[in-house]
Amino acid sequence: MSKPLSVAVAGLGTVGAGVLKLLAGNADIVAARAGRPVVVGAVSARDRRRNRGVKLDGLRWYDDPVALATDPGTDVVVELIGGSDGPARALVEAALAAGKPVVTANKALLAVHGAAIAELAEARGVPLAFEAAVAGGIPAIKGLREGLAANRIQRVAGILNGTCNYILTVMREAQREFAEVLAEAQKLGYAEADPSFDIDGIDAAHKLAILAALAFGRPVDFAAVHVEGIRAITALDILLAGELGYRIKLLGIAARTEGGISTRVHPCMVPVAAPIARVDGVFNAVVAEGDHVGRVMLEGRGAGAGPTASAVVADLIDIAQDRVTPVWGAAGGALSTAPSEPMERHVGAYYLRLMVVDRPGVIADVTGILRDQAISLESMLQRGRAPGEAVPVVLTTHDCEEAAMRAAITRIAALDVVLEPPAMIRIEPL
Amino acid sequence: MSKPLSVAVAGLGTVGAGVLKLLAGNADIVAARAGRPVVVGAVSARDRRRNRGVKLDGLRWYDDPVALATDPGTDVVVELIGGSDGPARALVEAALAAGKPVVTANKALLAVHGAAIAELAEARGVPLAFEAAVAGGIPAIKGLREGLAANRIQRVAGILNGTCNYILTVMREAQREFAEVLAEAQKLGYAEADPSFDIDGIDAAHKLAILAALAFGRPVDFAAVHVEGIRAITALDILLAGELGYRIKLLGIAARTEGGISTRVHPCMVPVAAPIARVDGVFNAVVAEGDHVGRVMLEGRGAGAGPTASAVVADLIDIAQDRVTPVWGAAGGALSTAPSEPMERHVGAYYLRLMVVDRPGVIADVTGILRDQAISLESMLQRGRAPGEAVPVVLTTHDCEEAAMRAAITRIAALDVVLEPPAMIRIEPL
């Protein structure tokens, strides 16, 4: 066997400690598959004395993570600090500049600064690997970028945030409201104290931006992603979705369209029969559609120490074996320059749920507005009767353009008989 | 861009023609991801004049496929002839001996002669790639061997034969018998004129033998696989399975056990709630369980020109990019020598369905035999009453050993009141 691959790990939170545990516990397997031992030689974290359940004896300790980039004994730098800027970014850039391969789980960094970082990696001819950044332990990046590399990808879609999927699953199963389920998820550790990053769709959007770059061979473009979270989803909408044959999921979707590449994260109604509709709880899934392979779905745990460490060490094994893939699947000169399609141009079907005063003429007013926007109705359902009081009215449309739907919603919301802002959820044929 | 990768393709059936079509139609994408053009320079097939819907002008034609191995302009040989021996084997061995990388979709060859062929490839330092040999377009081999490489795999299981899955799906949905559905599948082209290879489980066993080798880092051992097909499955058993909360699937399962590695292909009852239970029709799926990653499922099309070509060309792109993985995931010296566990030692739960004469004492006789074998019952159900006539009796057991179950079945089958050979289906907690 060749000489060991010496790894420096920056960030010893749950995932960092998980990587150390995996490398220690599965050292035999990792060495066999890497063709040589993979050992941690140096680490950096905030507090040297905290008990993380892993031995740090004999490891070179750095208070400054950026110093790991120039640790003389280090072959590969593993960045597990997180955050799109600050020390994580500084370390990754310094390591690549120093010619050291980088493995990172940092989706925020890659989504926001990935285009420049990929250029740096390519210019220096240094591997930059990030399997753990999307969908945790699921080999989604390898599957898409290498496994389906021969395909023209039409669409990639995924359940990319376990917190949101857990909340939506519990809301449906227990018929409970968002705020209540979120509070419980926070108690259970499935949601952060400040949950905005997850439930407002930002984390999913970071991951989707990366998947879109791989699927379409285009530098990552987070700014182009349309992002909505799940705060506005109600138990009533989940119930009505079920009656219509749908499940509500927060999906990230990137698709090749006439106008270029569309990238969006928002709650979707997906048919109950679609495989992704049954991916529940904290599980993640990625579906890719290629012109030759058809539809492929990968499903598994999207977060947690074990799954994330599994992905980080898979990257280390690839580097140990000299298996390198260009960051976005192709070298800089061969990347696509397809434009991003703005959300206003999105074409799809919509679910609208209105709370209206139950009196004659209301439906005529609403449907008149839709007609004015050339939006064609697929179904209309008024649930129950309560003359003079508020009742829900549910409308589903055929395919129409987002801009027309937004204009219609603005006018519908302004009607006297409409008592709450309309609930709008896009219907996705998956 | 570097000089083109020149490919020789042996076998121009559906898959071979599919590879030529993909390389022509997606030449831009393949070149971007391979870092250079991937072009077909030479081909071999039986009949030069047959119309395959692809242009062969300008390609070097060989009547003898083995001659492709020494075609001077060829960088990589793609073997799509099929069969565990004959010209396929001769070509693969000749190409490796000549130092030419080989891509093959040939599961029979790899299952039966893979151990020796892998040694040859390693000895010559030549890549041998076979993503298309298991689960068609699903990147199952890459996912397992590279994506989950950091894990100690406990179990890998899969729906590995689309013909069987299609037949079982139609039997359940239409409540029809095996022979009738098979005949229809043959008409539709979903089953071969001689269907034995598929429905007797041999094709699935070839694929499982390969998956087991990758999962446990052990040379392939097809002879150790216990194989049963789906001929004995009846519409009644599918119906009863549904009532018990199960679906019947033909699974290939490889697991790490106390006695070593168990590998088996047979019909299974899997809980309806298990993701793999919902993989229907011609779709394939592979589930892997790793000690860190947990459970990962990959699902997609397991056969057909497009999916198989997608996998073959993904292998070509890996070779063009110099991404090489040892055949069984680790170099020869680091492979496992764990023994194969014989099927008699299998421990699991069982479903037994008997056709018995409806009269007092029958259940006591049957359960007495099970008690004598120390087999503990989980449930017993006699459907309907017809004194003196034949009625089905369904038993499910707690975990017991296969050898005990076989001994019990032999004794039960010999009872006067048991009118047909007992139906036995293993229950798998997936």
Side-chain angles (χ1 to χ4, degrees):
Chain A
M1 265 198 200
S2 325
K3 101 182 218 308
L5 185 78
S6 183
V7 176
V9 177
L12 292 177
T14 316
V15 173
V19 168
L20 266 60
K21 282 176 200 163
L22 193 161
L23 287 174
N26 283 358
D28 55 338
I29 285 180
V30 172
R33 303 212 169 138
R36 47 181 161 152
V38 177
V39 296
V40 177
V43 292
S44 173
R46 274 197 213 141
D47 180 356
R48 191 166 185 166
R49 279 151 309 182
R50 203 177 120 210
N51 180 10
R52 300 171 170 91
V54 291
K55 279 193 188 171
L56 302 178
D57 313 350
L59 303 185
R60 299 181 292 284
W61 177 276
Y62 288 86
D63 288 316
D64 173 14
V66 182
L68 284 178
T70 47
D71 174 77
T74 289
D75 299 314
V76 184
V77 170
V78 176
E79 184 276 302
L80 302 171
I81 301 166
S84 62
D85 288 275
R89 182 183 180 189
L91 169 60
V92 168
E93 291 177 347
L96 293 172
K100 299 254 167 100
V102 169
V103 174
T104 176
N106 191 333
K107 45 252 177 191
L109 173 65
L110 289 164
V112 177
H113 301 296
I117 291 172
E119 282 181 20
L120 174 59
E122 186 173 341
R124 306 298 305 232
V126 178
L128 168 64
F130 47 95
E131 182 63 69
V134 178
I138 308 171
I141 286 175
K142 186 174 277 286
L144 189 57
R145 195 172 57 171
E146 300 170 38
L148 307 188
N151 291 269
R152 203 173 301 274
I153 301 291
Q154 284 114 10
R155 180 160 72 160
V156 56
I159 293 176
L160 300 172
N161 184 274
T163 304
C164 288
N165 205 43
Y166 172 83
I167 291 173
L168 291 173
T169 301
V170 175
M171 285 177 71
R172 174 173 57 80
E173 288 177 350
Q175 298 184 25
R176 290 166 63 196
E177 291 297 347
F178 171 79
E180 204 180 319
V181 177
L182 169 61
E184 197 178 273
Q186 287 172 313
K187 269 187 219 154
L188 291 168
Y190 291 162
E192 305 279 339
D194 175 0
S196 160
F197 212 66
D198 290 315
I199 65 175
D200 291 328
I202 302 158
D203 175 69
H206 285 150
K207 295 167 182 168
L208 179 75
I210 296 168
L211 283 182
L214 304 175
F216 303 112
R218 203 178 66 145
V220 67
D221 185 5
F222 175 64
V225 182
H226 173 85
V227 191
E228 297 172 26
I230 63 166
R231 283 186 204 264
I233 301 296
T234 64
L236 175 61
D237 292 315
I238 290 176
L239 186 74
L240 291 166
E243 290 181 11
L244 293 166
Y246 296 110
R247 293 271 167 89
I248 297 179
K249 295 288 182 190
L250 182 76
L251 295 187
I253 302 171
R256 194 186 292 279
T257 66
E258 281 183 23
I261 306 293
S262 90
T263 51
R264 51 202 170 91
V265 170
H266 53 70
C268 294
M269 290 207 181
V270 293
V272 171
I276 206 168
R278 284 114 160 214
V279 176
D280 279 334
V282 297
F283 278 77
N284 282 21
V286 173
V287 179
E289 295 169 22
D291 58 349
H292 285 77
V293 77
R295 192 172 297 176
V296 173
M297 183 164 101
L298 315 181
E299 179 184 348
R301 292 186 179 277
T308 311
S310 166
V312 166
V313 178
D315 280 346
L316 289 171
I317 291 171
D318 271 354
I319 288 169
Q321 290 275 20
D322 286 324
R323 288 192 297 257
V324 181
T325 306
V327 175
W328 313 124
L335 291 175
S336 160
T337 55
S340 296
E341 184 185 72
M343 193 63 193
E344 291 70 23
R345 294 277 81 77
H346 168 68
V347 173
Y350 292 79
Y351 158 98
L352 280 185
R353 196 251 314 148
L354 315 173
M355 296 304 294
V356 301
V357 182
D358 184 10
R359 71 172 187 231
V362 171
I363 301 297
D365 290 349
V366 169
T367 55
I369 290 171
L370 293 171
R371 177 206 55 213
D372 292 350
Q373 295 293 337
I375 294 169
S376 162
L377 274 180
E378 190 212 37
S379 73
M380 192 283 292
L381 170 75
Q382 178 181 327
R383 296 248 303 168
R385 291 242 39 199
E389 292 180 38
V391 289
V393 168
V394 173
L395 307 158
T396 61
T397 75
H398 290 293
D399 279 3
C400 64
E401 206 172 64
E402 174 95 5
M405 176 54 68
R406 289 188 189 174
I409 289 175
T410 304
R411 282 186 57 201
I412 290 169
L415 292 173
D416 280 352
V417 292
V418 171
L419 304 171
E420 294 177 7
M424 179 273 273
I425 301 175
R426 298 174 192 87
I427 298 173
E428 288 295 322
L430 267 171
Chain B
M1 265 199 199
S2 326
K3 104 181 216 307
L5 186 77
S6 183
V7 176
V9 177
L12 291 177
T14 317
V15 173
V19 169
L20 266 60
K21 282 177 200 162
L22 194 162
L23 287 174
N26 283 359
D28 55 337
I29 285 180
V30 172
R33 303 212 169 137
R36 47 180 160 152
V38 176
V39 296
V40 177
V43 292
S44 172
R46 275 198 212 140
D47 180 356
R48 191 166 186 165
R49 280 150 308 183
R50 203 178 120 208
N51 181 10
R52 300 171 170 91
V54 290
K55 278 193 189 172
L56 303 178
D57 313 351
L59 303 185
R60 298 181 293 286
W61 177 276
Y62 287 85
D63 288 316
D64 174 14
V66 182
L68 284 177
T70 47
D71 174 76
T74 289
D75 298 316
V76 184
V77 170
V78 176
E79 185 276 302
L80 302 170
I81 301 167
S84 62
D85 288 275
R89 183 182 179 189
L91 169 59
V92 168
E93 290 178 347
L96 293 172
K100 300 255 167 100
V102 170
V103 175
T104 176
N106 192 333
K107 45 253 180 190
L109 173 65
L110 289 164
V112 177
H113 300 297
I117 291 172
E119 282 182 19
L120 174 59
E122 185 172 341
R124 305 300 303 231
V126 179
L128 169 64
F130 48 94
E131 183 62 70
V134 179
I138 307 170
I141 287 176
K142 186 174 277 288
L144 189 58
R145 196 174 54 173
E146 302 170 37
L148 307 187
N151 291 268
R152 203 172 301 272
I153 302 291
Q154 285 114 8
R155 180 160 70 160
V156 56
I159 293 176
L160 301 172
N161 184 275
T163 304
C164 288
N165 206 42
Y166 172 82
I167 291 172
L168 291 173
T169 301
V170 175
M171 285 178 71
R172 174 174 56 79
E173 288 177 350
Q175 298 185 23
R176 289 165 65 195
E177 291 297 347
F178 171 78
E180 204 180 319
V181 176
L182 169 61
E184 197 179 273
Q186 288 174 311
K187 271 188 216 150
L188 291 167
Y190 291 162
E192 306 279 340
D194 176 0
S196 160
F197 212 65
D198 291 314
I199 65 176
D200 291 328
I202 302 158
D203 175 69
H206 285 150
K207 296 167 182 168
L208 179 74
I210 296 167
L211 284 181
L214 305 176
F216 302 111
R218 202 179 65 146
V220 67
D221 184 6
F222 175 63
V225 183
H226 173 84
V227 191
E228 297 171 27
I230 62 167
R231 284 186 203 262
I233 302 296
T234 64
L236 175 62
D237 292 315
I238 290 176
L239 186 75
L240 292 166
E243 290 181 11
L244 293 166
Y246 296 110
R247 292 269 167 90
I248 297 179
K249 295 288 181 191
L250 182 76
L251 296 187
I253 302 170
R256 193 185 295 277
T257 67
E258 281 184 23
I261 307 293
S262 90
T263 51
R264 51 202 169 93
V265 170
H266 53 71
C268 294
M269 290 207 180
V270 292
V272 171
I276 205 167
R278 283 112 161 218
V279 176
D280 279 334
V282 297
F283 278 78
N284 282 21
V286 173
V287 178
E289 296 169 22
D291 58 350
H292 285 76
V293 78
R295 193 171 297 176
V296 172
M297 184 165 99
L298 315 181
E299 180 184 347
R301 292 186 179 276
T308 310
S310 167
V312 166
V313 177
D315 280 345
L316 290 172
I317 291 171
D318 272 354
I319 289 169
Q321 290 275 20
D322 286 325
R323 288 192 297 257
V324 181
T325 306
V327 174
W328 313 124
L335 291 174
S336 159
T337 54
S340 296
E341 185 185 71
M343 193 63 194
E344 290 70 24
R345 295 278 82 78
H346 168 68
V347 173
Y350 292 79
Y351 159 99
L352 281 185
R353 195 251 315 147
L354 314 174
M355 296 305 293
V356 301
V357 182
D358 183 10
R359 72 173 186 229
V362 171
I363 301 298
D365 290 349
V366 169
T367 55
I369 291 171
L370 293 171
R371 177 207 54 212
D372 293 349
Q373 294 293 337
I375 295 169
S376 161
L377 275 179
E378 190 211 37
S379 73
M380 193 282 293
L381 170 75
Q382 178 180 330
R383 297 247 303 168
R385 291 242 38 199
E389 291 179 38
V391 288
V393 168
V394 173
L395 307 158
T396 62
T397 75
H398 291 292
D399 279 2
C400 65
E401 205 172 64
E402 174 95 4
M405 177 52 70
R406 289 189 189 174
I409 289 175
T410 303
R411 281 186 59 199
I412 290 169
L415 292 174
D416 281 350
V417 292
V418 172
L419 305 172
E420 294 177 7
M424 180 272 274
I425 301 174
R426 298 174 192 87
I427 298 173
E428 287 296 322
L430 269 170

